[in-house]
């Protein structure tokens, strides 16, 4: 009976409690090329919402509210906004699930919101997902970049289209960026860092891995998706570049989390 009760408690945790127990991960990232004006710049990162069967507008609102507590200078969204509906294949119906939630992801005049798409966005319909986000003023980067200016300093936010579906073009994304200026790359898949590290990129922000959703103490994640094996969660250094992998707030089948709660990242940039 005791073993059965323990199994029941563990099952309830993995199915109902931990997937909803949103946590904050605080991290400081020091960048050599960061302009003085951006010392202390705050980035909130949300990833892998997977709007659909297991993520509601209320779940998105919780994540955004937590991001706002950080008073960020930028909200970075690193892909996989949607999943296919119950009993259906990926397609337009799945992509349209972004529409009722995109407005929640905007911060108004509090901070800009910049996004890239993920593989599930493409598998459903990338154009519908992109249009739904842009309709609410969210900047979507697909192999392009935008500058951010502050007190005479400038950094660049670059974003690639999804690497799993072979749409990523980093050279194109960086084509407008002076090679001597600090650059933060949004790339859905963290293992893209092995390629990005050979370019003048200072920091890569990624998602995709979900941290494996299930992590066994002493062993880590038994299963990780393609292009999220080398850098599945947290902060890494890859050559002269750093990469941070957010474990996401949503889930895919099976809809469980164990020792891997969903997260909103509070990242502070520092010079040095």
């Amino acid at each position: 009976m005791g073993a059965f009760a323990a199994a029941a408690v563990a099952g309830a945790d993995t199915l109902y409690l931990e997937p909803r127990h949103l946590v904050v991960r605080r991290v400081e990232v020091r960048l050599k090329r960061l302009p003085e004006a951006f010392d202390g710049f705050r980035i909130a990162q949300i990833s892998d919402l997977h709007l659909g069967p297991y993520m509601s507008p209320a779940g998105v609102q919780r994540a955004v509210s937590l991001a706002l507590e950080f008073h960020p200078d930028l909200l970075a969204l690193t892909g996989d906004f949607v999943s296919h509906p119950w009993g259906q294949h990926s397609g337009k119906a799945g992509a349209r699930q972004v529409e009722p939630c995109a407005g929640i992801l905007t911060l108004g005049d509090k901070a800009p919101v910049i996004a890239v798409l993920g593989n599930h966005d493409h598998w459903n319909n990338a154009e519908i997902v992109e249009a739904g986000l842009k309709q609410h003023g969210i900047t979507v980067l697909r192999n392009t970049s935008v500058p951010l200016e502050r007190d005479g300093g400038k950094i660049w936010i670059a974003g690639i289209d999804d690497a799993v579906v072979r749409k990523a073009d980093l050279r194109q994304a960086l084509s407008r960026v002076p090679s001597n200026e600090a650059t933060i790359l949004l790339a859905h898949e963290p293992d893209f860092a092995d390629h990005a590290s050979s370019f003048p990129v200072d920091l890569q922000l990624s998602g995709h891995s979900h941290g494996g959703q299930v992590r066994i103490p002493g062993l880590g994640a038994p299963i990780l998706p393609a292009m999220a094996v080398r850098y599945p969660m947290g902060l890494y250094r890859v050559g002269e570049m750093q990469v941070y992998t957010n474990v996401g707030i949503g889930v895919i089948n099976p809809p469980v989390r164990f020792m891997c709660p969903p997260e909103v990242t509070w990242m502070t940039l520092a010079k040095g």
Side-chain angles (χ1 to χ4, degrees):
M1 183 63 71
F4 176 80
V9 170
D13 176 75
T14 58
L15 276 170
Y16 300 110
L17 300 180
E18 192 165 328
R20 293 165 177 78
H21 180 57
L22 199 57
V23 302
V24 168
R25 302 290 186 199
R26 299 171 181 262
V27 60
E28 181 184 80
V29 179
R30 305 189 73 84
L31 302 177
K32 291 180 181 179
R33 302 198 303 169
L34 190 72
E36 292 283 355
F38 282 85
D39 191 26
F41 189 80
R42 295 182 171 196
I43 301 173
Q45 183 188 1
I46 295 174
S47 196
D48 296 82
L49 286 83
H50 288 284
L51 295 162
Y54 311 118
M55 178 58 64
S56 67
V60 178
Q61 185 63 69
R62 283 196 297 271
V64 172
S65 296
L66 199 56
L68 281 169
E69 289 183 20
F70 188 47
H71 303 289
D73 300 299
L74 169 68
L75 175 59
L77 307 174
T78 43
D80 272 2
F81 293 91
V82 299
S83 289
H84 60 77
W86 277 107
Q88 297 185 35
H89 295 294
S90 296
K92 292 182 178 180
R96 291 193 181 100
Q97 293 180 116
V98 76
E99 293 166 358
C101 294
I104 302 173
L105 292 166
T106 59
L107 303 185
D109 59 359
K110 295 180 178 67
V113 182
I114 302 180
V116 292
L117 302 181
N119 52 302
H120 283 265
D121 303 319
H122 275 272
W123 291 343
N124 283 276
N125 188 294
E127 282 62 43
I128 290 175
V129 175
E130 179 183 20
L133 296 171
K134 284 184 171 180
Q135 182 180 358
H136 292 277
I138 297 171
T139 299
V140 181
L141 301 180
R142 300 177 70 178
N143 299 324
T144 188
S145 57
V146 293
L148 296 180
E149 299 187 30
R150 183 178 186 177
D151 299 332
K154 181 193 293 184
I155 64 173
W156 289 81
I157 309 298
I160 55 164
D161 208 344
D162 189 66
V164 162
V165 299
R166 300 181 182 276
K167 297 291 185 180
D169 188 335
L170 185 54
R171 288 189 184 279
Q172 181 179 329
L174 298 176
S175 60
R176 299 175 54 219
V177 182
S179 61
N180 64 335
E181 294 187 357
T183 303
I184 298 171
L185 173 67
L186 308 186
H188 180 62
E189 289 84 10
D191 291 1
F192 189 80
D194 288 335
H195 176 63
S197 62
S198 62
F199 289 77
V201 173
D202 301 85
L203 172 65
Q204 176 181 305
L205 302 182
S206 298
H208 184 57
S209 73
H210 299 202
Q213 292 188 191
V214 172
R215 300 189 67 83
I216 300 172
L219 296 177
I223 301 174
L224 288 163
M227 296 197 70
V229 176
R230 292 174 62 84
Y231 315 112
M233 62 186 300
L235 185 65
Y236 304 86
R237 179 170 291 278
V238 186
E240 293 297 310
M241 188 186 81
Q242 295 178 77
V243 54
Y244 184 83
T245 305
N246 175 299
V247 303
I249 68 168
V251 292
I252 57 173
N253 282 323
V256 299
R257 281 187 180 268
F258 180 71
M259 302 294 289
C260 187
E263 76 166 86
V264 172
T265 307
W266 291 0
M267 178 175 291
T268 304
L269 303 185
K271 184 173 177 61

